[in-house]
Amino acid sequence: MRYLIFSDVHGNLEALNVVLKLAGGENIDQYLCLGDLVGYGASPNEVIDKVRALQPLSIIRGNHDKAVCESESLQTFNPIAAMAIRWTKENISENNLDYLCKIKKGPLKTQDDITICHGAPFDEDYYIFGEFDAAEAFLHIETKLTFFGHTHFPFVYKEKDHLVEGTYVSGNFSKLKLKKKTRYLINPGSVGQPRDRNIRSSCAIFDSEAGEMYFHRLEYKIETTQKKILDAKLPPALAKRLFAGI
Ligand code: ZN
């Protein structure tokens, strides 16, 4: 099986398009989406339309998806993120809102001994930002391989004999051969709002037969995405940060 793993699209259609274009040439058998289809970007409807058409798809919700669907306070979000969530609530179609709100909370076990979650397996809102967090996460995982999102940093944590080691996935392409007797907790990075100062869209492919992961960073037309954000009267900072990769 060949999987496309992607996360944190955040309403960025142009970035999603380059990821799906790559997937189109990669004989993908299964799509794994780790949440946050919306929030920040100006194309929530177009993004949901594209993602819901992917077959077969395993998907879990992210914290922004949840915030758009629930009426609870936006206190956990910074003011700019909260503004974008309010904007999304006003601009999402009824049909897409219905789809978004039916996406289940992770973690979710899929085939090939894989778990997917948004933040951490024990809390969808938790940021796994280091080896101690990862070690805690491994305690809650039964599968060999887990994919998570939320931090917008492509990262690989491996656990062998209870020792956890984390590595940032740098560069625009890299390959990882999965080892036996080792468990992995992997973040494919963010499609629509990378924060590791690499402005290219991030995603990963997993080939379960080869036991290999491939990490991709793809160029897209950031100017188009920025113009849409500005035209939609979303906070200009959301356009600006895409060029800084933060
Ligand atoms: Zn996110």
Side-chain angles (χ1 to χ4, degrees):
M1 290 270 278
R2 284 175 68 84
Y3 296 84
L4 176 79
I5 305 111
F6 67 106
S7 190
D8 298 277
V9 180
H10 285 296
N12 184 338
L13 178 66
E14 294 68 34
L16 178 64
N17 279 341
V18 295
V19 168
L20 296 183
K21 194 175 168 211
L22 170 84
E26 291 279 347
N27 298 318
I28 298 300
D29 302 300
Q30 172 93 32
Y31 295 87
L32 303 180
C33 178
L34 316 179
D36 276 357
L37 295 179
V38 302
Y40 301 127
S43 307
N45 288 309
E46 296 86 340
V47 163
I48 294 173
D49 286 342
K50 292 242 164 172
V51 171
R52 65 192 291 185
L54 298 173
Q55 288 293 335
L57 169 72
S58 295
I59 184 168
I60 41 137
R61 74 178 184 191
N63 55 317
H64 289 251
D65 305 329
K66 178 173 100 178
V68 167
C69 291
E70 290 180 358
S71 54
E72 67 183 41
S73 94
L74 298 174
Q75 257 177 7
T76 56
F77 291 89
N78 69 53
I80 287 176
M83 277 166 82
I85 288 164
R86 276 185 219 107
W87 180 94
T88 305
K89 281 178 187 246
E90 283 161 20
N91 288 278
I92 193 168
S93 72
E94 214 173 299
N95 191 271
N96 280 336
L97 183 66
D98 186 58
Y99 175 80
L100 193 72
C101 301
K102 282 184 179 144
I103 301 175
K104 296 219 166 64
K105 176 182 171 175
L108 175 72
K109 260 172 130 179
T110 70
Q111 300 117 300
D112 281 324
D113 212 12
I114 295 170
T115 299
I116 60 173
C117 62
H118 183 63
F122 53 85
D123 180 352
E124 63 184 338
D125 291 337
Y126 191 85
Y127 290 91
I128 296 177
F129 256 136
E131 286 156 353
F132 292 110
D133 292 333
E136 173 74 17
F138 276 116
L139 295 177
H140 297 260
I141 295 168
E142 290 159 8
T143 52
K144 177 181 170 71
L145 188 52
T146 298
F147 296 113
F148 73 103
H150 197 40
T151 65
H152 299 208
F153 278 76
F155 227 88
V156 173
Y157 294 97
K158 52 184 187 177
E159 184 212 46
K160 198 183 175 201
D161 302 329
H162 304 290
L163 288 175
V164 176
E165 197 184 305
T167 314
Y168 164 61
V169 181
S170 61
N172 293 325
F173 178 75
S174 63
K175 201 166 127 176
L176 173 74
K177 177 96 184 154
L178 301 190
K179 294 193 177 116
K180 283 183 185 152
K181 293 183 184 163
T182 304
R183 295 200 298 161
Y184 292 87
L185 183 57
I186 295 177
N187 191 321
S190 166
V191 171
Q193 195 196 73
R195 293 181 187 162
D196 59 342
R197 297 183 185 269
N198 180 343
I199 60 176
R200 294 176 174 219
S201 181
S202 192
C203 67
I205 289 168
F206 173 55
D207 185 321
S208 62
E209 266 110 71
E212 284 181 351
M213 292 279 318
Y214 312 95
F215 296 91
H216 293 267
R217 300 304 289 257
L218 307 166
E219 254 181 278
Y220 70 97
K221 285 212 177 93
I222 294 180
E223 296 88 343
T224 308
T225 310
Q226 290 180 312
K227 189 175 182 306
K228 286 183 184 173
I229 289 171
L230 298 174
D231 289 350
K233 303 270 184 284
L234 278 156
L238 293 173
K240 215 174 152 193
R241 69 187 294 178
L242 294 175
F243 254 141
I246 54 170

